[in-house]
Amino acid sequence: MYAYIKGVLADVEEESVVVEAGGIGYRIYTTGQTFDYLPAVGEEVKLYTYLNVREDAMILYGFLTKDDLRVFKLLIGVNGIGPKGALAVLSVMTTDDLRFAVLGDDAKAIAKAPGIGAKTAQRVILELKDKLSLEEAFELKSEHVSRQNENGSNGVKNEAVQALVALGYASSEALKALNGIEITDDMDVETLLKTALKNMAFL
């Protein structure tokens, strides 16, 4: 129904964001990885979406890239993994990491996702191995690294978010603290982290 939603990032919550487009606020559930690269609240964002229709609800899931959405769809096609399970996997590892884990039979890496046990991780590998290729994995990894290098501030921001999450903060809390900071090209992770921790004291 919706290929993507483009609008203003109105709010960031623990597991979802609200994007205002055409006077409507769309609640879109996403991954911890996506939170790391979101723009500041009030800025424009474009999320590629998947609409999950249930008897009792219609839920939107969104991602910053078509590749993330494609891998999400592959995951929910695995027997025993629903949208929440797919989000859990893509919150602890990037699509690149997942590809290499599947192709390298690394079930332990996949099983680190909350709610994903060893048997389910093995099933992911079994069902996705034929749908992923090593050539594609290396090609996309190269593209993603190049994109990150082109945007140095996002790389520093991403590292700071990961550091805050490691300290026990939720991705949404970390992002809110960082969104209020003007990140310059010469700012390092340590400086950004100290500023963010000061901001979090007032959240």
Side-chain angles (χ1 to χ4, degrees):
M1 185 175 178
Y2 302 109
Y4 63 82
I5 293 176
K6 184 178 182 181
V8 174
L9 183 62
D11 195 16
V12 177
E13 299 183 354
E14 189 170 345
E15 298 178 337
S16 64
V17 298
V18 177
V19 178
E20 183 179 341
I24 299 172
Y26 295 91
R27 183 176 306 284
I28 304 172
Y29 289 83
T30 190
T31 69
Q33 300 284 342
T34 302
F35 274 116
D36 294 346
Y37 290 97
L38 285 173
V41 170
E43 293 186 6
E44 188 176 77
V45 66
K46 179 180 181 180
L47 294 176
Y48 295 92
T49 54
Y50 173 83
L51 178 63
N52 183 47
V53 180
R54 302 188 328 211
E55 288 184 4
D56 59 340
M58 295 173 66
I59 304 172
L60 274 171
Y61 297 91
F63 310 89
L64 288 170
T65 69
K66 287 182 179 179
D67 180 52
D68 287 348
L69 176 60
R70 174 180 170 252
V71 173
F72 173 79
K73 287 180 177 179
L74 287 175
L75 279 169
I76 62 176
V78 175
N79 185 30
I81 292 191
K84 284 188 177 181
L87 282 190
V89 172
L90 294 178
S91 288
V92 299
M93 62 199 317
T94 65
T95 52
D96 294 324
D97 293 336
L98 178 61
R99 282 189 180 88
F100 287 115
V102 169
L103 295 168
D105 291 320
D106 189 356
K108 285 185 178 180
I110 300 171
K112 288 179 181 177
I116 304 297
K119 288 185 178 179
T120 305
Q122 287 289 357
R123 195 179 304 126
V124 169
I125 292 172
L126 183 66
E127 295 191 25
L128 296 190
K129 204 160 202 179
D130 292 339
K131 298 176 182 177
L132 302 172
S133 72
L134 196 58
E135 292 79 8
E136 180 188 45
F138 280 117
E139 183 180 331
L140 288 168
K141 177 70 173 176
S142 178
E143 285 180 13
H144 295 160
V145 170
S146 296
R147 195 180 303 127
Q148 287 173 2
N149 289 340
E150 287 171 7
N151 195 342
S153 62
N154 256 0
V156 172
K157 182 180 178 181
N158 185 28
E159 286 185 47
V161 168
Q162 289 176 351
L164 288 169
V165 169
L167 289 172
Y169 294 99
S171 295
S172 56
E173 291 178 310
L175 193 64
K176 281 184 178 179
L178 291 165
N179 280 341
I181 304 170
E182 183 179 350
I183 304 174
T184 59
D185 291 337
D186 60 345
M187 186 176 287
D188 58 23
V189 177
E190 186 178 352
T191 303
L192 183 58
L193 200 55
K194 286 179 180 178
T195 308
L197 286 169
K198 286 181 182 178
N199 286 356
M200 294 181 97
F202 297 101
L203 287 180

